[in-house]
Amino acid sequence: MYYTSQKQIKKRSGDLVDFDAAKIEVAISKAHKSVKGFDDPVLYTEVTTSVLAILDKNFVEASPSVEDVQNMVEQELMSKGLFDVAKNYIIYRYEHTKKREEKKIETLEKLTTSGLTIIKRNGQKELFSTEKLRKHLSYLSKGYESDIDVDGVIKQVGMEVYEDITTTDIERSLIMVLRSFIEQDPAYSYVAARALMGKNYKEVIGHDKIDFTKLEQQLKEQLALSIQKGVALGRLNPKLLLFDLNKLATHLNIERDNNHNYLSIQTLLDRYFISDPKTKEVIEVPQLFWMRVAMGLALNETNKEEAAINFYNGMSTLHCVPSTPTLFHSGTMRSQLASCYLTSVEDNLANIFKSYADNAQMSKWSGGIGNDWTKVRSTGSLVMGPGIESQGVIPFLKIANDTTVAINRSGKRRGATCAYLETWHLDIEDFLELRKNTGDERRRTHDMNTANWIPDLFMKRVKTDGMWTLFSPNEVPDLHELYGKAFEHRYEQYERMAEEGSIRLFKKIPAKDLWRKMLTMLFETGHPWVVFKDPSNVRSPQDHAGVVHSSNLCTEITLNTSQDEVAVCNLGSVNLAKHITAGQLDLARLQFTISTAMRMLDNVIDLNFYPIPETRNSNMRHRPVGLGIMGFQDALYQLGVSFESEEMVELADRTQEAIAYYAILASTELAKERGAYQSFRGSKWDRGILPVDTIALLEEERGLKIDVDRKQTLDWDVVREAIKKYGMRNSNTMAIAPTATISNIAGALPAIEPIYKNIYVKANQSGDFVVVNSYLIKDLKVLGLWNPQMLSLLKYHDGNLSKIDDIPQNIKDKYKEVFQIDPRWLIKAAAYRGKWIDQSQSLNIFYGGKSGKEINDIYLYAWDMGVKTTYYLRTMAASQVEKSTVNTDQFGKTHLRGQGQDQTEPEANAIETEVVEEVVERVVISQTEDKATVVAAEVETLSATISEPVAATDVNPMFAMNSVDSKISQQDTFKMCRLDNPDCEACQ
């Protein structure tokens, strides 16, 4: 009996079936016995166990395919030196591939002679009808007729069907084919979404009940039925039944389903829709989902229906979208709607181990966590009770790491935590190495993020080539509670005490040496992140109520923490892409959206399920929210603005000013209606200090000029008067989170970042598909440049337009990818945007070079500009779109594999067994080399070589569709955004 967390496996047909680990052992035993002539049960169990371990590690949330499992079996057999057995296994796989191709050819012959039978849902058989398929596809393509090659899609579907295929599988094949055409034109994404929604409608309404001529009526009637079913299943709060469901149903706008592209719908289906926990059948469709979320957020409103309708209209039009936990849990029995939590760990065992339990509870309910560990004493410090030396903070972080691994947030994504340590802590050098892949594994935290909490004094010492002193916090207990000039004065006092012998543990080190090590680790591992303590505190509206000891999991939250208060992030984002009208920012629409979003976020605080008492204490006292943005790059595209330009910085400045203006004003309106937050008195708001005013305060504390313009374009006296009159409902109002997943839902590019690639692969549980920048395609169409030749050029150059001669320079400038853009532009935009924000921004730094000096200059520039926090340092990886359909005669050999040699893809159906023999022979010859390296390289080559070929018959020659057409090959330095990668969407 084998145990594996893998519950299902994806067959070649796309079906998900129950995973049976015993089948792996059977396959291994057959291959082994046919070669060796005897059984070796111990070996079979050993190899199977290894394969299962790899599956559990690499497919935490997605289901592996049959091919994935078979590849891993090959890899394990070869890594154990069983090359002859592996050879037999590979040849067996190849022979079955040939048989499947022969069967495909036979099916195509039947199809052309109208002799192919299919099986309907009721079990009856009938002949496959191309005309029925054409009629259905025409229905799906309404509005996109000029962009969709109906004949090409039909021909491709014909290649996927087989004798006695079910209508369910035909439907799935159509969706997959449409998805594979998305690279040709964005229209295919919306048509594929309609096909997928059609499947969703049938499942929810009932295959035997659905009538597409009355679809809108049926979906509206389904609202009450779905809510009732969700309550009966124990998934939804019975209070939802108190709404006037008939009234809400009349406000459902089914046409808004057409706003969703394929990735959006697939994301919602895979992760967000409420389902029956036993059958896994979803009970929601897009508009029912948005209304359920809206109802959950309106539960405490006096006029529930009116509030729910307003919330629904804001979300279903994709103008604003709450964070993922809110979408997961709104209206459910445990409405944990918050995104992230910030805690401070005290310097005693009871609190340290309480923090592990707290982390587990918060992770269980889908929260990402930021832990401040600075108070925990360092290695070598004395423990008061037994009088022995402490092992420091690192061993405790290892336990925190393992707690993170053990928790699956809401059953939908892994736990995610970030540990923060202030830069003067004596264990800081060991802390920097926590994410290294070498060294003592007991002092490594591979599954937990880390961040440096850096005081301004350290940065000044770096710039002046000064010395830096490390202390144990138990000997300098107040340092962590101080910032600005007060910190500098006290720190220098402690340095003198150390020199005089009054402090037992300390270490002096050149500040530049420590800074260099920080940046080296950041470049090598992406950690620890660079986060600045003083800007986060000096500019905090809540300086009267405590200290900001850390940021959160994604570095956009700057809230106070203490032993009694665990800060809570309540997040949502405005989609800027939906607020550009007639070539300018639509301020009226923006104000309406923000007013609605702020009301939703304020409601989250009262509705939220709080995993531990300290979270409730903090949230009820201060009521912070974080309204952010997404689609900034979309807005630039719509306005024709290049990211590398002062015009972009100006747009960042002006859009954030408007967002701040309306967000703060909305909070005063809520205060007028509901009262100010408890700790308002004495806050910066109460003292008449707005976020834009705090740049001057930071300059004063630093004694240095911050080169950020302070001009204002709106009448801020209106806001100041409203605060003075009504107070604020929320201690904090703005924070820009990464928005990775909700941007997929909204069809926008994430947060405030430039586009990563103009052509890239999206991956989810259903497989991979290629996406081309839709704005680029639109502009190229206007210029008459979008055609199959251009698509091939884009693939060949991995989306980099600078190398394509036919494209005008202004288009090249407009569509620069993120690694073509100097990161200082991102930082400058963040600084100008940040002057309006009362929290912070999740600011990734993208750097394509290898110069340590350049990285140093980039991060010093961020500090000089007054930026509060940065997030990942994203560096360039060996990542490219595989070019199997690029004409190598025209463009040359395109892909590097294995030992670094140029290789081209083999012609379809031209693979012979000799290829398998050659690959296995190379592995056998290389037995004396590092097996892991050789096996990995050869399996990659082999997998590419014997991938199932697709017959070229009846395929549109302009756009050849191939299952290996556009895979991503990449190292771990930079991971492409995936639906099943929780590290990329921890908060959103």
Side-chain angles (χ1 to χ4, degrees), residues 94-369:
Y94 172 66
E95 291 299 330
H96 275 258
T97 298
K98 288 180 68 176
K99 288 178 182 178
R100 285 194 296 272
E101 284 309 307
E102 290 169 359
K103 192 170 183 179
K104 274 190 177 182
I105 294 171
E106 181 182 338
T107 299
L108 283 171
E109 290 175 354
K110 285 188 174 182
L111 192 64
T112 55
T113 58
S114 300
L116 185 73
T117 58
I118 64 172
I119 301 176
K120 300 176 68 176
R121 181 167 290 274
N122 61 11
Q124 293 181 346
K125 290 188 176 183
E126 66 177 37
L127 292 177
F128 177 82
S129 171
T130 301
E131 285 310 307
K132 281 187 178 181
L133 180 60
R134 183 183 299 277
K135 184 178 180 181
H136 179 54
L137 188 56
S138 296
Y139 168 77
L140 295 175
S141 304
K142 186 177 180 181
Y144 295 106
E145 292 87 352
S146 62
D147 301 311
I148 301 298
D149 179 6
V150 174
D151 290 335
V153 173
I154 290 173
K155 289 176 182 178
Q156 186 65 29
V157 172
M159 295 173 59
E160 304 297 328
V161 299
Y162 49 86
E163 185 71 22
D164 289 339
I165 187 174
T166 65
T167 51
T168 300
D169 284 341
I170 293 174
E171 184 176 45
R172 183 183 295 108
S173 294
L174 174 60
I175 293 169
M176 293 302 174
V177 168
L178 286 168
R179 190 176 80 163
S180 70
F181 275 69
I182 289 174
E183 65 179 44
Q184 298 181 27
D185 195 290
Y188 286 98
S189 184
Y190 290 95
V191 175
R194 289 176 180 176
L196 188 57
M197 281 187 286
K199 185 171 179 286
N200 178 212
Y201 297 154
K202 292 175 189 175
E203 291 173 351
V204 173
I205 295 173
H207 290 82
D208 57 338
K209 298 178 183 177
I210 194 165
D211 181 349
F212 280 94
T213 65
K214 301 177 181 178
L215 181 62
E216 183 172 354
Q217 176 187 339
Q218 287 188 317
L219 287 175
K220 289 183 175 182
E221 292 171 353
Q222 190 63 37
L223 176 64
L225 298 174
S226 290
I227 297 296
Q228 291 164 3
K229 186 173 183 178
V231 171
L233 290 170
R235 298 299 310 279
L236 296 181
N237 191 330
K239 290 181 179 179
L240 296 185
L241 297 174
L242 300 177
F243 283 83
D244 184 340
L245 297 177
N246 291 330
K247 179 179 180 179
L248 294 183
T250 63
H251 287 271
L252 291 174
N253 188 332
I254 308 306
E255 283 296 315
R256 291 175 185 166
D257 282 356
N258 292 323
N259 293 336
H260 294 276
N261 61 25
Y262 174 80
L263 180 61
S264 174
I265 293 299
Q266 187 69 66
T267 303
L268 290 172
L269 274 167
D270 285 346
R271 305 185 66 180
Y272 289 86
F273 289 170
I274 296 292
S275 64
D276 185 325
K278 293 182 179 178
T279 65
K280 306 303 179 185
E281 293 179 352
V282 299
I283 64 172
E284 294 181 322
V285 299
Q287 298 311 307
L288 303 190
F289 160 76
W290 291 121
M291 186 59 83
R292 183 263 297 173
V293 174
M295 291 165 66
L297 293 174
L299 275 173
N300 290 350
E301 293 275 1
T302 302
N303 190 332
K304 293 181 174 61
E305 286 76 20
E306 181 181 346
I309 291 165
N310 286 338
F311 297 163
Y312 165 78
N313 286 332
M315 292 185 290
S316 64
T317 57
L318 306 179
H319 281 79
C320 61
V321 182
S323 66
T324 280
T326 304
L327 299 180
F328 278 169
H329 300 136
S330 182
T332 65
M333 294 301 292
R334 286 289 186 273
S335 55
Q336 197 302 105
L337 312 176
S339 301
C340 286
Y341 301 97
L342 287 71
T343 78
S344 281
V345 182
E346 299 295 319
D347 185 32
N348 62 75
L349 276 179
N351 190 263
I352 289 171
F353 277 84
K354 179 182 183 300
S355 75
Y356 300 144
D358 291 347
N359 279 6
Q361 286 297 323
M362 291 182 288
S363 285
K364 174 183 177 181
W365 296 105
S366 202
I369 301 165

Side-chain angles (χ1 to χ4, degrees), residues 347 376-384 387-396 425-428 430 443 470-475 503-506:
D347 185 32
V376 178
R377 66 191 62 202
S378 71
T379 304
S381 58
L382 294 179
V383 180
M384 293 298 291
I388 61 174
E389 290 188 352
S390 169
Q391 295 184 65
V393 71
I394 303 301
F396 294 117
H425 196 290
L426 196 56
D427 287 339
I428 189 68
D430 289 333
R443 300 179 70 81
L470 307 179
F471 298 103
S472 180
N474 62 310
E475 294 192 273
I503 290 180
R504 176 176 172 269
L505 286 178
F506 68 94

Side-chain angles (χ1 to χ4, degrees), residues 1 17 89 192 194 310 313 340 348 428 536 548 559-560 576 626 642 650 839 850:
M1 178 71 68
V17 298
Y89 186 79
R194 289 176 180 176
N310 286 338
N313 286 332
C340 286
N348 62 75
I428 189 68
S536 299
V548 182
L559 299 175
N560 301 342
L576 283 183
S642 299
E650 175 72 11
Q839 294 200 66
K850 297 179 180 179

Side-chain angles (χ1 to χ4, degrees), residues 609-895:
F609 169 79
Y610 292 97
I612 59 175
E614 294 85 351
T615 56
R616 176 179 287 277
N617 293 344
S618 175
N619 231 24
M620 290 303 178
R621 186 172 179 225
H622 311 301
R623 305 188 67 86
V625 300
L627 183 65
I629 60 173
M630 56 185 164
F632 180 68
Q633 175 71 90
D634 297 80
L636 292 177
Y637 285 150
Q638 292 175 42
L639 297 172
V641 177
S642 299
F643 209 99
E644 270 190 326
S645 68
E646 291 296 339
E647 194 177 357
M648 178 277 295
V649 177
E650 175 72 11
L651 184 67
D653 194 347
R654 297 285 70 82
T655 54
Q656 195 60 50
E657 180 186 9
I659 290 166
Y661 188 93
Y662 296 126
I664 297 170
L665 205 56
S667 189
T668 67
E669 288 296 317
L670 288 167
K672 177 183 177 181
E673 176 187 343
R674 300 173 173 179
Y677 68 92
Q678 291 178 25
S679 61
F680 170 74
R681 291 303 171 195
S683 67
K684 280 191 172 73
W685 304 112
D686 186 37
R687 295 175 351 238
I689 303 171
L690 299 186
V692 69
D693 303 325
T694 61
I695 298 291
L697 298 181
L698 182 58
E699 286 179 326
E700 183 182 348
E701 290 290 329
R702 281 185 178 178
L704 298 169
K705 174 74 175 173
I706 296 174
D707 189 19
V708 173
D709 190 284
R710 320 294 158 81
K711 71 177 179 182
Q712 303 173 9
T713 61
L714 300 175
D715 185 0
W716 282 89
D717 288 340
V718 173
V719 177
R720 294 178 191 275
E721 285 300 315
I723 296 172
K724 187 176 180 180
K725 187 174 183 179
Y726 304 116
M728 291 282 288
R729 180 63 175 170
N730 314 98
S731 65
N732 300 74
T733 60
M734 290 163 282
I736 299 179
T739 77
T741 309
I742 64 167
S743 289
N744 288 338
I745 294 170
L749 290 163
I752 53 176
E753 294 175 358
I755 194 168
Y756 171 66
K757 281 284 187 185
N758 284 315
I759 183 169
Y760 56 97
V761 169
K762 280 289 186 182
N764 60 19
Q765 294 185 13
S766 302
D768 300 344
F769 60 101
V770 183
V771 179
V772 183
N773 185 340
S774 61
Y775 296 98
L776 173 61
I777 291 178
K778 183 178 179 180
D779 279 356
L780 291 177
K781 280 184 174 181
V782 170
L783 296 171
L785 293 175
W786 182 244
N787 51 44
Q789 171 80 359
M790 184 58 70
L791 176 59
S792 292
L793 281 168
L794 278 174
K795 288 182 179 181
Y796 180 78
H797 294 294
D798 295 312
N800 187 336
L801 305 187
S802 66
K803 301 175 182 178
I804 303 178
D805 294 337
D806 292 342
I807 295 181
Q809 189 59 47
N810 67 312
I811 298 295
K812 292 179 179 180
D813 292 339
K814 181 178 177 180
Y815 293 102
K816 281 188 176 182
E817 298 170 340
V818 70
F819 284 109
Q820 296 176 270
I821 296 170
D822 188 322
R824 291 169 186 82
W825 285 109
L826 281 79
I827 293 169
K828 186 173 183 179
Y832 274 67
R833 185 187 295 113
K835 70 172 179 273
W836 305 107
I837 299 175
D838 49 42
Q839 294 200 66
S840 191
Q841 307 162 69
S842 190
L843 174 64
N844 286 311
I845 305 296
F846 297 85
Y847 176 62
K850 297 179 180 179
S851 167
K853 181 182 183 304
E854 186 75 5
I855 295 174
N856 169 74
D857 292 347
I858 289 167
Y859 278 93
L860 287 180
Y861 178 69
W863 182 76
D864 287 340
M865 294 294 285
V867 168
K868 294 179 184 177
T869 61
T870 67
Y871 195 23
Y872 283 98
L873 171 62
R874 305 288 195 182
T875 54
M876 211 47 175
S879 175
Q880 58 180 313
V881 178
E882 200 169 296
K883 307 169 184 72
S884 56
T885 58
V886 173
N887 187 329
T888 56
D889 290 336
Q890 182 177 0
F891 299 115
K893 297 180 180 180
T894 62
H895 204 63

